[in-house]
Structure formats: C-alpha cells, structure tokens
Amino acid sequence: AEAADAEPAGVSYGATFEALQQRFFATVEGRPALTHPDRVSLRATCFDGPWAPRRQPWVYNHEVLLEAGAVDCLRQSSKSYGVPFDVALLSVVLAATFRSAAAFRSNPQESASLPLTLYVPMRDGTLNDVMVGLFSDWRDATVPCTARSTLLGLCVDLADAIRQRRWAMFDPMQNSERVLVNILPLDEQPRGVQRFRQTRAHEYHGRRGGRGRERKAWKGAHRPMRITLEQEAPDAWWVSLDVNADHYSTSWCRGFVRELRRSVEELLVEPLARVLPPAADDAEDR
C-alpha cells in the first residue's frame, strides 16, 4: 500500500539536457538506428539548395476549416475504429489527396504512394514524458494506395504504422522531395489550480466567422507540399496546405476540398468505400 501511495521519483536537474545530448552524440558518431532509435536526424534545410530548380515554381497556400459537424464525424470514426483523432484526420486528408490526384491520371486506379516526413514525438525513453525539452524529430514514412485500398483500411494501416514506429530515420538528402506533415493539437486538459486551458484564439482573431482570406502565392523552391493540421478549439481544426503548383495544381486543390468533405463523411457512414474510383466494370456492377 505504501509503494502504491508513494509519489514517483523526481527527475534530476540536467537530466533533460543529458538525454538530448546523448541523442545528438549518437547521430554525430553514426551509431546505428537499430540500437539507437531515438537518435536525432539533424534536420538541416541547407540540403534543399543543390537541387533548387532554375525556374522557381509557384507556391500557394490554401486553408480548409473543419468545424463542429466534421469534427464530430471524425470523433465518432476515431472512437468506432479505435484510432487517435489526429490519425483519423490525417487519413482523410491523405485520402482526399489520393482521390483528387487520381482524377488527373489517365488510369485513375493506378497505384500511388505519398512519401511523408512527419513531426513525431520521441518520448519513449525513461521519464521523457516528465522532462521539458524538444523531444520530437522528423521521421520518414511512405503511405501506399492501391485500387483495393479502402478508407478504413488506409486509416487503420496508418494508425498501426504510427503505433509500431514503422518509419525510417529522416534523410536530409531527400528533404525537398517529401510531403512534410505537422499536427498541432491543443492540450484540452485544464492545468493548475486556476484550471488554465491552452487556446489559440489570439492567433486566429475571429477568422472562423469572418470572410475567407485570399489565396497567397509566391515563387520559390519548395517541397511538393507542406500539410499543417492545427486545432484552434475543441470543435475546430484548420487544414493548411503550402503547395508547389508544379506538383499539385490549383485544379487539384479544388478537387481536394471536395474530396476531403466526401472522405470525412464516408469514413463514418461507408468506411469500406474505395479510396480510388472503381474500375468501369465495377461501376457497371453497382
């Protein structure tokens, strides 16, 4: 009983720095990722330079706001299928990406894949969860999609890959060729005596009820796409895309918005719907 009531031992001063320093040295000394899976990847952006195109592509930003109805659908799907909410959200974003891109291929059923670089928490070590520090890193994963892939299958496979850490050490030499994904949820748990909650209201300044912003565009070297999923409030998530127009056109973006809405709905009511459009023979059978 005494052991059960005892408070966990505190973390010694400097333990955070020591843990992060060990990860850094493991990287510099080239220790194998198999024995040091939490080593850092040295996320240098200087490797973009040598492959920067002579003709700078257009890059544009597009934002989609998911409000109460869509968030409720995703929460129900998350609960029904036993996957985290942010994984369910990412899966429908990827499904919409596949679906919209398929419309521009001569064979819409052709298998495709998305090479991703993910921001991931790296707090698997002893007492990492109670330390204050940047315990996160980039990891590479590739998400496939075939003619037989379903929305539920894509969602569950993605959740399993994240749970089982089926990703590779970030490769800086391929930095500019992968889609970068960053997920920024709110800490919804009240903290302290005053029950403070994290908020991002100061960052959005009433944009949810206001007029949509004009699309921004500029020229510059850029990866195919950067996807940021950011939670503004318990009932609101923003999907922000920074898109290289040479890879994903504005026509693709319009299709993405339509397919995102359809994917959110179908994940809940028709989870075995195919991600890619059915073949002509299958469509006739239906």
Side-chain angles (χ1 to χ4, degrees):
E2 292 180 0
D5 295 337
E7 295 184 359
V11 180
S12 62
Y13 178 78
T16 300
F17 177 77
E18 182 180 354
L20 296 176
Q21 180 177 256
Q22 289 174 354
R23 296 184 180 187
F24 173 75
F25 284 135
T27 301
V28 172
E29 295 171 3
R31 299 174 190 170
L34 183 63
T35 56
H36 295 79
D38 58 355
R39 53 178 276 197
V40 295
S41 61
L42 295 180
R43 298 176 292 176
T45 57
C46 61
F47 291 98
D48 284 347
W51 295 276
R54 292 182 179 180
R55 183 188 67 81
Q56 299 293 308
W58 278 105
V59 182
Y60 63 91
N61 173 266
H62 191 83
E63 294 180 332
V64 180
L65 173 61
L66 302 181
E67 295 190 277
V71 173
D72 286 344
C73 282
L74 288 170
R75 291 194 188 281
Q76 292 181 52
S77 297
S78 170
K79 184 177 180 180
S80 297
Y81 310 136
V83 300
F85 175 90
D86 53 357
V87 174
L89 174 57
L90 178 58
S91 69
V92 296
V93 169
L94 298 182
T97 301
F98 284 124
R99 284 176 159 178
S100 184
F104 295 90
R105 294 198 297 267
S106 57
N107 179 12
Q109 282 215 310
E110 182 181 355
S111 297
S113 62
L114 278 175
L116 306 179
T117 292
L118 306 165
Y119 280 91
V120 300
M122 304 296 292
R123 290 184 174 270
D124 297 332
T126 304
L127 295 179
N128 284 174
D129 58 326
V130 297
M131 297 181 182
V132 177
L134 186 58
F135 286 86
S136 63
D137 200 15
W138 283 359
R139 291 294 185 266
D140 291 345
T142 299
V143 178
C145 182
T146 69
R148 299 180 62 85
S149 297
T150 64
L151 283 172
L152 179 57
L154 180 67
C155 182
V156 172
D157 287 346
L158 182 62
D160 285 345
I162 292 175
R163 286 191 185 110
Q164 299 169 17
R165 304 294 196 263
R166 294 204 307 265
W167 48 52
M169 187 71 63
F170 166 69
D171 181 1
M173 301 300 288
Q174 304 295 326
N175 182 21
S176 60
E177 300 177 10
R178 307 182 75 89
V179 175
L180 181 62
V181 178
N182 193 12
I183 304 176
L184 302 171
L186 286 175
D187 182 0
E188 298 183 15
Q189 182 177 346
R191 304 286 180 177
V193 178
Q194 301 297 328
R195 313 298 288 170
F196 287 114
R197 292 177 180 270
Q198 183 184 7
T199 177
R200 290 198 175 97
H202 61 289
E203 298 179 14
Y204 291 93
H205 302 290
R207 280 172 49 199
R208 289 173 61 184
R211 183 179 179 181
R213 296 192 308 177
E214 293 185 1
R215 177 180 290 161
K216 297 179 180 178
W218 63 96
K219 281 192 172 184
H222 199 276
R223 63 180 68 250
M225 182 160 51
R226 179 168 57 235
I227 302 173
T228 303
L229 309 178
E230 186 169 15
Q231 185 181 14
E232 178 189 350
D235 62 344
W237 279 78
W238 290 89
V239 179
S240 178
L241 308 177
D242 293 311
V243 187
N244 184 329
D246 283 358
H247 291 265
Y248 298 99
S249 67
T250 52
S251 297
W252 169 88
C253 189
R254 289 190 289 271
F256 169 84
V257 175
R258 292 192 300 269
E259 296 297 347
L260 180 61
R261 177 173 183 170
R262 182 164 75 99
S263 299
V264 169
E265 295 173 349
E266 287 186 346
L267 182 61
L268 179 63
V269 301
E270 194 178 351
L272 298 183
R274 298 288 177 86
V275 176
L276 300 179
D281 294 341
D282 293 342
E284 291 177 0
D285 292 341
R286 290 186 177 186

